[in-house]
Amino acid sequence: MDQLTSRSILFLCVANSARSQMAEGFARQVLGDRLRVQSAGSMPSRVHPLAIEVMREVGVDLAAHASKSVDDIATDAVDTVITLCAEEVCPTFFGAVRRFHWPIPDPAGDDPALTREQALARFRSARDQIQARVQVLASLLDVPDGPAPVEFHASVRVRDLAKSARFYAWLFGAPPEEWTHRYVTFVRPDLRTNFVLLAADGQALHHDTLYHLGVAVSDKAAVVRAYELAVAAGLRVAKAPRTTWRGTPLHELWVEDPDGNLVEIYARLTDEELARRPLDLQPMPLT
């Protein structure tokens, strides 16, 4: 699947008064001149004074912004459209674009009963939601090359192995492929999923009770290539590529996500590789 790329982003809401203006402001702050950023609305009015005020609180100046009509935006100058309407009918933008919808309630709704502080609280809530979404968007626009996964793996701890096995057999629509007294393994090739239940029995973690996420790649060379890509991307490598023989024999690489969660990138061994299993079953570095 292609990663997210863009040369020009358009944020849309009805009045181009608050939400889309705040999104444009954050996108300009975070993305700089990496791409073109615009906002517009189907019924443009003015930039709301409270939007200007709450954005100034976080270092973004909207004072020079003006509301614009979506009809004035050239369809061939935009490749990504993000709508921020919630309860209203969103503006229509015609063009071959990638579309995302961020349903955020309009903080500028007319409610005469609101005090100034209550109105500011609504604007700050919308602002903070938009800022977080823009930060995620920005992080996805330059993702470096990574492994080419062919399967997703997850291992989770469960209190009652039998009850959980019954539940996940119902969920996956198939019985597990195998099980022991400590784990149950579900394999759904059509979903490209390998899912393992691990008994939360207080025993020490080892090769058959490891709690982690992972993706499978095609072969040993793909594991080594994933290591090279991880290093190039500046990721933390917990364990360099190696072949392990205990439990399920695998070529594997362990990396950490930003929160320190372990993620395994692995490939199953071929019959020829399994035939070379060492007697001592010690891991072997991959080169």
Side-chain angles (χ1 to χ4, degrees):
M1 181 177 292
D2 293 337
Q3 294 287 7
L4 177 60
T5 60
S6 180
R7 293 176 293 102
S8 179
I9 294 178
L10 173 64
F11 294 99
L12 291 177
C13 65
V14 176
N16 192 215
S17 172
R19 292 162 295 181
S20 56
Q21 289 284 353
M22 290 191 284
E24 178 184 353
F26 280 129
R28 290 184 182 277
Q29 180 191 55
V30 174
L31 298 170
D33 59 1
R34 288 166 53 189
L35 48 82
R36 185 180 185 187
V37 177
Q38 303 177 85
S39 69
S42 53
M43 301 174 62
S45 57
R46 61 168 183 160
V47 182
H48 200 289
L50 293 186
I52 296 174
E53 183 173 343
V54 300
M55 290 295 284
R56 187 179 293 122
E57 293 174 353
V58 293
V60 179
D61 187 3
L62 300 185
H65 284 214
S67 295
K68 302 170 290 295
S69 172
V70 65
D71 296 333
D72 296 332
I73 305 296
T75 58
D76 59 354
V78 174
D79 59 31
T80 302
V81 169
I82 300 176
T83 50
L84 294 98
C85 312
E87 62 277 359
E88 323 96 310
V89 177
C90 285
T92 300
F93 184 83
F94 298 101
V97 296
R98 185 192 293 260
R99 301 176 189 272
F100 297 98
H101 181 53
W102 298 353
I104 296 174
D106 185 4
D110 295 327
D111 185 349
L114 287 179
T115 66
R116 170 178 163 78
E117 285 306 312
Q118 288 172 330
L120 280 171
R122 288 173 56 163
F123 273 84
R124 289 176 181 133
S125 175
R127 176 199 66 193
D128 294 346
Q129 293 179 58
I130 293 167
Q131 182 180 31
R133 287 178 181 259
V134 169
Q135 288 171 342
V136 173
L137 171 68
S139 75
L140 297 175
L141 290 174
D142 58 355
V143 175
D145 291 340
V150 297
E151 177 184 82
F152 175 74
H153 169 80
S155 300
V156 299
R157 288 293 191 101
V158 298
R159 292 189 297 271
D160 189 311
L161 195 61
K163 286 184 178 179
S164 294
R166 180 179 176 83
F167 172 83
Y168 284 100
W170 168 82
L171 184 69
F172 285 119
E177 182 173 275
E178 64 173 340
W179 63 89
T180 72
H181 64 296
R182 300 194 72 186
Y183 67 84
V184 176
T185 301
F186 291 88
V187 178
R188 280 290 303 268
D190 54 321
L191 300 178
R192 295 169 60 177
T193 298
N194 179 290
F195 184 77
V196 180
L197 305 173
L198 304 170
D201 53 10
Q203 298 298 313
L205 291 174
H206 56 79
H207 65 84
D208 69 348
T209 58
L210 205 54
Y211 176 40
H212 66 280
L213 303 175
V215 294
V217 292
S218 57
D219 54 24
K220 177 172 71 174
V223 173
V224 174
R225 177 58 177 160
Y227 170 71
E228 295 168 349
L229 292 171
V231 171
L235 304 183
R236 175 171 169 75
V237 176
K239 292 182 182 179
R242 61 182 189 165
T243 302
T244 59
W245 305 96
R246 299 183 185 276
T248 302
L250 295 171
H251 304 302
E252 64 176 17
L253 158 71
W254 291 85
V255 296
E256 290 185 7
D257 75 3
D259 292 300
N261 297 308
L262 286 174
V263 179
E264 181 186 29
I265 302 172
Y266 61 94
R268 293 179 176 82
L269 276 64
T270 65
D271 290 342
E272 182 179 348
E273 290 168 336
L274 285 169
R276 297 197 294 269
R277 183 195 306 254
L279 294 178
D280 61 7
L281 300 182
Q282 291 302 302
M284 300 171 58
L286 288 180
T287 56

